[in-house]
Amino acid sequence: MKTEKLTCMSLCGFLTVSSIQANEPAERDYKQKQLPNIVLILADDLGYGDLNCYGATRYTTPNLDRLAHSGVRFTNFYVSQAVCSASRAALLTGCYSNRVGIGGALFPNSLIGLNPQEETIAEILKKRGYSSGIFWKWHLGYQREFLPLQQGFEEYFGLPYSNDMWKYNIDGSVATPKQNKNKANYPPLPLIEGNESVKEIVTMDDQAQLTTMYTDRAVSFIEKHKKNPFFLYLPHSMPHVPIAASDKFKGKSEQGVYGDVLMEIDWSVGQVLEALEKNGLTENTLVIFVSDNGPWLNFGNHAGSAGGLREGKGTSWEGGQRVPCIMKWPGRIPEGLVCNKIAATIDVLPTLANIVEAPLPTRKIDGVNILSLMTGDQKANPREVFLYYYNSNCLEAVRKNQWKLVFAHQSQTYEGFAPGKDGVGGKTGNVQVEPALYDLRRDPGERYDVKDLNPEIVAELTKIADEARADLGDGILNIKGANVREPGRVSVQ
Ligand code: MG
C-alpha cells in the first residue's frame, strides 16, 4: 500500500498540527483531522430563475433559500455544457467535458462512458478515507464498466440515465415508431442497485415516487456513515421531464406540476439537512446545491425559468449554462454571502481536493480552487476565463470577467416557437449565430453586440480562444486539440 507522509496545516481552521498517513483507517483520520463531510446535490434541468432566492414565484423553496442565507449564493456559476452527460462528466472530473471525451447525452444503447482511467471526485476523496454514495441519476455510461461502483463509489441506487429514456408517452401509452422512433426502441428503464437492475420504472406513478425513494436512501447513508468522512452525491432525476410529484406535494404549488416538483426537491434538501443536524454533522459538512444545465424551455409549463437569461438547455447562451449554485459550510463560509465572480462545476473537484489535502488527478484538469470565493475574499478572482463548448467539441464562446465573445456557430433556438404544454414538447429551431461581443455586466440577456466599440477586448478574447483551440480543439474550425482524451468504450452491448 502506498503511503504518503503529510505535514498538517491548519486545514480550514479545524485542524491541529500532527502528521498522518494518507491511507490510515478512516475513522481515526476523521477524529484527528475533522475532515468535512461533502454533500453534493445536483438538480436536473433546473434553471437560473427556479429558486425563490433567484427570483422564482408561485411556489416556495424555503429550505434552499435558508441554505443560501446561511452560506454563499453564486450568481455567475457555470456548467461545462448545457446537457446532461457532458455536464456530469465535467462536475465529477474537474475537466471540460470535451477533454474527457463526453459530449451530449448518452442514450441507453451507448457503448461509451466516462473512462475509468479518469479520476472522479469519489476517487480523489477515497484517498483520504472517504466513503462515497450516489443516489440517483448517473448518466455517464450504462455499461457495467462505467457504472458508479467502478468509478470510486461504494453505494449506488438510481437510474443509469434520464427518466425520459423510456418507451412511454406522458399519457402512459407506449410510443409508436411513428410518434418517436427512439422512444419506441428503448429498453425498460431500470432502477439499479449496485451493478444490478432491481426494478423497471413503468408509470408516472412510479416516477412520482422517485424523489422520496432516494431521499430515504440519502438519509440512511448519512446515518450509516456518521462516524466517518463521507461524500454523498445526490443527482436528482427532476425537474427533467417527465415530471411528477408524490401525494405529499401534488397540487401544493400555484404553478402546477412543475412547482409541485420543485417543492418536493426543496423538501428533499430539507430532509438531508435535518439528517445532518440530527446526527450532529451540520457544523462539519459542506453542502453544495447546483443544477446540471438550464431549463428545457420547449416544455412550456413543465419547464423551468432561465430567470431572464437568453435561451436555455442545449445552447451556450447564458440561459443554458449559467445555473444557481449555493454552498453552506458553517464557520468557513460566511452567512449571507453573494459571489458575483465566475466559477464553474469544473472547480468543485480541485476545491474539494484542496480542502481535504488530497492529491489532484494525475491527468490534466481544467478546474481551479475557488475556496477563496467561498470564504468571501473580495479580492480573489481564481477563474477569470470560462470556455463555452457545445456539440461535443465546438468552442461557441469565451468569457473573461464581464465580457463574452460569441463565435459564429449553429445553435438550437427556442425563440419564435410556441412552447408545448403538460409534458408534450413544442418545436425548436436551428439558427446560424453571428459573431458578437456582449458586456454581461449591463447586458446579461446578451442582446446588444458591442464588438465594434471594443476591438481590444475582441483581440484579447480571440487570443484566449486560440489557445483553448490548440489545447482542447474546436469542431467548428476542425481543430483537434492536443490534450483531449478518449471516453471509455466497450465493443459489445
Ligand atoms: Mg439536464
Side-chain angles (χ1 to χ4, degrees):
M1 183 184 293
K2 186 185 171 193
T3 56
E4 185 181 347
K5 202 90 170 173
L6 295 177
T7 301
C8 291
M9 294 157 272
S10 61
L11 174 60
C12 306
F14 287 127
L15 307 182
T16 54
V17 176
S18 65
S19 76
I20 57 116
Q21 290 191 314
N23 289 326
E24 281 183 344
E27 189 169 349
R28 190 169 64 175
D29 195 31
Y30 181 58
K31 283 177 180 169
Q32 282 179 348
K33 299 208 61 173
Q34 284 289 293
L35 288 169
N37 306 300
I38 313 291
V39 176
L40 175 57
I41 305 171
L42 182 71
D44 196 335
D45 295 2
L46 182 145
Y48 186 78
D50 273 343
L51 306 180
N52 287 176
C53 55
Y54 284 84
T57 58
R58 298 179 64 80
Y59 54 85
T60 56
T61 53
N63 290 298
L64 282 157
D65 300 339
R66 267 196 295 275
L67 194 71
H69 182 70
S70 54
V72 57
R73 183 174 67 88
F74 287 86
T75 64
N76 283 260
F77 202 91
Y78 290 94
V79 297
S80 169
Q81 293 194 24
V83 61
C84 293
S85 297
S87 180
R88 281 148 218 274
L91 171 65
L92 288 185
T93 64
C95 296
Y96 285 111
S97 35
N98 41 320
R99 187 178 299 287
V100 295
I102 300 289
L106 301 180
F107 286 87
N109 55 0
S110 287
L111 297 179
I112 68 164
L114 180 64
N115 193 325
Q117 290 184 32
E118 301 295 344
E119 291 184 71
T120 66
I121 291 175
E123 286 165 322
I124 294 297
L125 294 177
K126 199 173 190 173
K127 294 175 183 175
R128 300 291 284 117
Y130 279 70
S131 297
S132 297
I134 161 174
F135 301 102
W136 228 244
K137 178 177 169 180
W138 173 239
H139 216 173
L140 288 172
Y142 173 43
Q143 309 297 329
R144 187 185 180 96
E145 292 88 331
F146 309 130
L147 288 175
L149 297 198
Q150 284 68 253
Q151 308 267 17
F153 291 90
E154 291 171 22
E155 293 184 36
Y156 172 44
F157 180 67
L159 301 184
Y161 36 73
S162 296
N163 60 328
D164 66 339
M165 293 178 179
W166 65 345
K167 62 178 91 170
Y168 303 101
N169 296 311
I170 189 72
D171 63 3
S173 61
V174 175
T176 63
K178 196 175 171 190
Q179 287 172 320
N180 188 321
K181 197 177 163 194
N182 284 342
K183 253 184 183 306
N185 289 324
Y186 282 153
L189 178 59
L191 184 56
I192 292 183
E193 174 100 55
N195 284 318
E196 309 300 332
S197 172
V198 292
K199 178 180 160 55
E200 181 188 351
I201 303 299
V202 179
T203 66
M204 286 309 295
D205 283 343
D206 289 343
Q207 298 258 5
Q209 305 310 315
L210 299 182
T211 302
T212 296
M213 200 188 295
Y214 69 70
T215 302
D216 291 346
R217 287 296 186 108
V219 168
S220 299
F221 182 85
I222 291 170
E223 296 271 355
K224 184 176 164 187
H225 294 282
K226 61 187 174 189
K227 291 186 177 169
N228 307 93
F230 61 79
F231 170 47
L232 171 58
Y233 176 41
L234 278 174
H236 286 246
S237 283
M238 294 187 192
H240 189 296
V241 293
I243 51 172
S246 71
D247 288 343
K248 293 191 292 296
F249 290 93
K250 211 175 274 180
K252 289 291 190 297
S253 83
E254 298 173 347
Q255 189 49 54
V257 184
Y258 192 84
D260 298 348
V261 165
L262 261 287
M263 289 176 73
E264 188 154 20
I265 289 172
D266 181 79
W267 165 84
S268 172
V269 172
Q271 293 295 297
V272 169
L273 297 178
E274 200 176 300
L276 293 173
E277 181 67 20
K278 202 174 119 195
N279 289 290
L281 302 173
T282 299
E283 298 299 313
N284 194 36
T285 301
L286 168 59
V287 179
I288 302 172
F289 179 92
V290 67
S291 178
D292 73 332
N293 52 252
W296 209 350
L297 293 171
N298 58 315
F299 280 89
N301 62 339
H302 280 205
S305 162
L309 299 176
R310 185 167 175 176
E311 297 276 8
K313 173 180 177 172
T315 78
S316 58
W317 299 108
E318 294 295 294
Q321 289 197 233
R322 199 192 296 196
V323 292
C325 180
I326 299 167
M327 299 185 189
K328 176 192 177 187
W329 190 10
R332 285 297 291 156
I333 296 178
E335 291 185 2
L337 184 65
V338 175
C339 179
N340 294 327
K341 303 275 177 60
I342 302 173
T345 51
I346 52 177
D347 301 328
V348 172
L349 182 147
T351 303
L352 295 181
N354 176 269
I355 288 170
V356 309
E357 294 182 337
L360 288 171
T362 52
R363 294 173 154 200
K364 181 175 184 177
I365 68 167
D366 299 291
V368 297
N369 176 11
I370 57 167
L371 187 60
S372 55
L373 299 182
M374 294 157 58
T375 52
D377 180 350
Q378 296 298 319
K379 291 180 183 161
N381 194 11
R383 170 169 294 291
E384 289 186 326
V385 170
F386 183 78
L387 308 173
Y388 299 72
Y389 273 94
Y390 195 63
N391 275 337
S392 294
N393 203 30
C394 295
L395 184 59
E396 297 185 351
V398 58
R399 177 176 177 180
K400 182 176 182 187
N401 295 325
Q402 83 220 56
W403 303 102
K404 180 174 179 180
L405 183 63
V406 175
F407 305 110
H409 66 276
Q410 287 279 324
S411 176
Q412 177 186 217
T413 185
Y414 301 96
E415 290 176 4
F417 295 90
K421 197 176 178 190
D422 297 338
V424 178
K427 287 186 176 165
T428 60
N430 270 291
V431 288
Q432 173 66 30
V433 175
E434 299 303 328
L437 178 72
Y438 297 105
D439 177 355
L440 296 179
R441 182 192 68 80
R442 60 169 290 276
D443 181 23
E446 301 171 279
R447 296 177 62 204
Y448 305 100
D449 176 17
V450 292
K451 67 176 179 304
D452 292 342
L453 300 174
N454 300 280
E456 72 291 351
I457 301 291
V458 172
E460 185 183 0
L461 268 63
T462 300
K463 186 164 177 284
I464 291 168
D466 286 340
E467 289 166 4
R469 288 172 180 128
D471 179 26
L472 283 161
D474 184 0
I476 299 170
L477 301 177
N478 284 323
I479 298 171
K480 182 160 170 51
N483 301 304
V484 289
R485 306 190 286 264
E486 291 292 314
R489 296 182 197 278
V490 292
S491 53
V492 288
Q493 206 159 2

